[in-house]
Amino acid sequence: MALVASTPPAPRSDTVILAAMGEGDLSNPAALEIVSRAQNSGRNWGVVLGLYRSKAEADELLLQTALQGGDILENANRHVADTIRGFQPSFANLTKANAELTCERMLAKQQDCRVVGP
């Protein structure tokens, strides 16, 4: 057991070294421009996949759809709403194009689907 007898690694230093690439004087912070964008980047769309009698059915549909959706549904948020009429599975955080494509695929399989916008 060589691992048991080995010495632990040296602790990391708390010193952080910052370096700037390129030439020029960066002593004037007013010359720097900070650019940011919204975290969801236009992903305000979602799809609702109908109503189901049990939460298990709704969860199963979400899982199947997510696995078949590939990259389109990779970053989507999955949710099952418990409503008076039943359990409503949905995906959120999609672009409009991805929401429409997901619904087209679901409708081609004779599944309920509705695109919901911002």
Side-chain angles (χ1 to χ4, degrees), residues 63-90:
L63 183 58
Q64 280 181 341
T65 307
L67 290 173
Q68 293 169 357
D71 292 343
I72 294 173
L73 298 174
E74 182 178 14
N75 295 321
N77 298 330
R78 292 181 278 196
H79 178 70
V80 175
D82 185 1
T83 68
I84 295 172
R85 298 180 305 152
F87 294 91
Q88 192 173 43
S90 63

Side-chain angles (χ1 to χ4, degrees), residues 3-89:
L3 292 178
V4 175
S6 66
T7 60
R12 292 184 180 184
S13 171
D14 290 336
T15 305
V16 177
I17 300 170
L18 299 176
M21 294 184 64
E23 296 180 16
D25 182 16
L26 295 177
S27 63
N28 183 3
L32 297 177
E33 179 182 356
I34 298 173
V35 179
S36 64
R37 62 180 183 170
Q39 188 174 7
N40 62 5
S41 305
R43 295 179 171 267
N44 299 323
W45 295 81
V47 293
V48 177
L49 306 176
L51 284 170
Y52 293 85
R53 291 184 181 179
S54 74
K55 186 171 186 336
E57 277 182 293
D59 281 332
E60 184 179 341
L61 179 67
L62 277 179
L63 183 58
Q64 280 181 341
T65 307
L67 290 173
Q68 293 169 357
D71 292 343
I72 294 173
L73 298 174
E74 182 178 14
N75 295 321
N77 298 330
R78 292 181 278 196
H79 178 70
V80 175
D82 185 1
T83 68
I84 295 172
R85 298 180 305 152
F87 294 91
Q88 192 173 43

